[in-house]
Amino acid sequence: MNKVIVTGGAGYIGSHTCLKLIELGYEPLIIDNLSNTSIENIKGVESITNKKLNFYELDCCSAQKLDMIIKKENGIIGAIHFAAYKSVEESVREPEKFFYNNLKSLESLIDVMINQNLNNLIFSSSCTVYGSPDSLPVDENAPFKKAESPYGETKQLCEKIIEKSTLFSVCLRYFNPIGSHNSGLIGDRSADKPANLVPIICEVAYGKREKLIINGNDYNTKDGTCVRDYIHVEDLALAHINALEYCIKNKSKSIFNIGTGQGLSVAETVRIFEECNNIKVNLEYGPRRTGDVAEIYSDTKKSSKYLKWKSEKSISDALKSAWNWELNKT
Ligand code: UD1
């Protein structure tokens, strides 16, 4: 009795979570349509753990097929749901696609779980649900603000669907996931051109891009650049296992922030990257990016008290691992 459904298990956070599940004695049952990742992440987890993975290439939106697969498996104790589109910019261009896929994949998983008397759903949410919070650090009781993008709106709607379902659940609101496993075998393999800060810093350091444009230095923050809470993806992955165990034990619905609690500015992040990797990053200040909030970082009290989880890795560990992925990714 240790099987865990992992939808989107071949993705960036999903593959790191599958690895942690295996390390802790669980068996991931991976459902992924490989639409925005690669089979290499599955092979990577297999190669690190020396285990053959139970992987089905399937779109989670097909409830019928999902039902057939899950029916064949015994000993399922819960599900971790990652399968969703994630590019904020693409969600602005093609909102219908985001609303359809992100809501449908969740609804079909919930239907199948209820149909087969399965319980315990862990959901991949985001701090984007808070919009621009009124006070910092932001805790889980802060209200939803108007979503900055259709992507953010899908996360808010998914949380509401889960709230209304009969399942026991944990929604994890991630802050900014960065870094990779040091093997260089698993990581972010999405087809999207990088749009997030750390992958762009890496491309500039590597020489794939001429320079980093810092989006605004006139915010009301410590140095005028935006402040975020960057969390190592391996720490984030572990939070899912704690969440699953918590969900099984407490038979309830809950929500947790998953961040370090540390707010770092864009300029500080670049400086630390340069120092810990001993490499220069060309940069230039540009205008603000539409939809950015000035400052957000997490209140970690609730996750530390109830999930018994806190981030262990430093920002330097995370930025070194991000650079290692850029240099050594397979
Ligand atoms: C965004 C999403 C978040 C999602 C995360 C990971 C929003 C509000 N947030 O976070 O929900 O989980 O991506 O996909 O949509 N920056 C630059 N130059 C660049 C790139 C970024 O200065 O070339 C700045 C941004 O303006 C921002 C900071 O770096 O201030 C972090 O940006 P990014 O890595 O894109 O993450 P978020 O926008 O915080």
Side-chain angles (χ1 to χ4, degrees):
M1 289 291 280
N2 65 350
K3 236 176 251 179
V4 182
I5 300 165
V6 185
T7 73
Y12 171 46
I13 304 171
S15 58
H16 284 86
T17 302
C18 289
L19 177 58
K20 277 281 184 271
L21 280 166
I22 295 168
E23 286 172 356
L24 292 169
Y26 295 98
E27 187 193 329
L29 165 59
I30 303 171
I31 314 283
D32 198 306
N33 65 357
L34 301 179
S35 69
N36 196 18
T37 185
S38 150
I39 189 75
E40 292 307 317
N41 274 350
I42 299 288
K43 292 186 187 159
V45 175
E46 291 186 330
S47 148
I48 298 164
T49 59
N50 207 16
K51 283 213 157 74
K52 182 95 190 98
L53 294 190
N54 196 353
F55 165 60
Y56 293 89
E57 187 174 341
L58 178 80
D59 187 336
C60 197
C61 294
S62 338
Q64 242 184 338
K65 288 187 185 153
L66 191 62
D67 196 58
M68 271 161 53
I69 287 172
I70 293 175
K71 220 174 243 153
K72 287 194 302 193
E73 303 277 344
N74 295 314
I76 296 174
I77 56 169
I80 308 179
H81 181 58
F82 294 104
Y85 291 146
K86 64 175 181 181
S87 157
V88 173
E89 186 254 322
E90 191 186 2
S91 82
V92 175
R93 272 189 285 116
E94 295 185 69
E96 306 83 1
K97 185 174 145 180
F98 272 68
F99 286 115
Y100 177 80
N101 183 61
N102 292 6
L103 300 184
K104 180 78 185 164
S105 63
L106 174 68
E107 282 167 356
S108 86
L109 176 64
I110 291 178
D111 281 354
V112 170
M113 288 178 77
I114 290 173
N115 189 24
Q116 297 194 32
N117 286 318
L118 297 172
N119 216 323
N120 307 310
L121 173 64
I122 312 305
F123 177 64
S124 166
S125 189
S126 165
C127 69
T128 193
V129 299
Y130 297 121
S132 184
D134 294 329
S135 65
L136 289 167
V138 63
D139 70 34
E140 291 83 349
N141 294 321
F144 283 0
K145 291 282 191 64
K146 187 182 172 318
E148 305 285 351
S149 66
Y151 159 80
E153 212 173 332
T154 67
K155 292 294 176 195
Q156 293 180 338
L157 291 168
C158 285
E159 283 202 18
K160 287 182 189 163
I161 292 171
I162 291 169
E163 173 63 35
K164 299 271 178 272
S165 86
T166 55
L167 298 175
F168 301 137
S169 62
V170 175
C171 293
L172 297 179
R173 294 178 179 162
Y174 316 152
F175 283 67
N176 289 53
I178 59 168
S180 277
H181 188 263
N182 275 328
S183 60
L185 295 172
I186 56 174
D188 189 352
R189 297 183 188 273
S190 58
D192 315 325
K193 201 165 170 293
N196 295 118
L197 179 65
V198 172
I200 291 177
I201 293 177
C202 290
E203 289 202 347
V204 175
Y206 196 92
K208 289 184 187 165
R209 289 186 195 226
E210 197 195 330
K211 59 189 168 210
L212 166 74
I213 314 275
I214 294 191
N215 302 322
N217 60 349
D218 57 351
Y219 285 99
N220 184 19
T221 57
K222 48 186 152 184
D223 58 18
T225 65
C226 290
V227 169
R228 297 287 184 274
D229 180 341
Y230 297 96
I231 167 103
H232 195 304
V233 68
E234 289 189 86
D235 282 338
L236 171 59
L238 178 62
H240 293 79
I241 290 90
N242 290 28
L244 178 66
E245 290 171 352
Y246 178 86
C247 191
I248 293 170
K249 191 160 161 222
N250 288 277
K251 303 185 185 314
S252 59
K253 288 183 183 290
S254 29
I255 291 170
F256 294 100
N257 282 343
I258 301 296
T260 66
Q262 202 74 30
L264 271 189
S265 76
V266 174
E268 285 175 322
T269 309
V270 178
R271 210 160 39 240
I272 299 169
F273 181 93
E274 290 183 323
E275 278 165 17
C276 71
N277 292 310
N278 198 19
I279 191 159
K280 183 95 192 86
V281 177
N282 293 330
L283 63 82
E284 182 178 296
Y285 289 99
R288 291 182 178 197
R289 186 173 73 174
T290 314
D292 269 341
V293 304
E295 187 161 16
I296 186 160
Y297 52 94
S298 63
D299 186 315
T300 59
K301 284 200 257 337
K302 190 176 173 196
S303 51
S304 147
K305 181 168 176 192
Y306 295 102
L307 288 187
K308 312 273 182 254
W309 172 93
K310 65 179 177 51
S311 65
E312 299 288 344
K313 294 187 183 280
S314 68
I315 182 69
S316 303
D317 292 336
L319 292 172
K320 278 194 224 166
S321 80
W323 181 228
N324 178 62
W325 170 249
E326 186 67 45
L327 292 175
N328 297 314
K329 58 186 159 192
T330 50

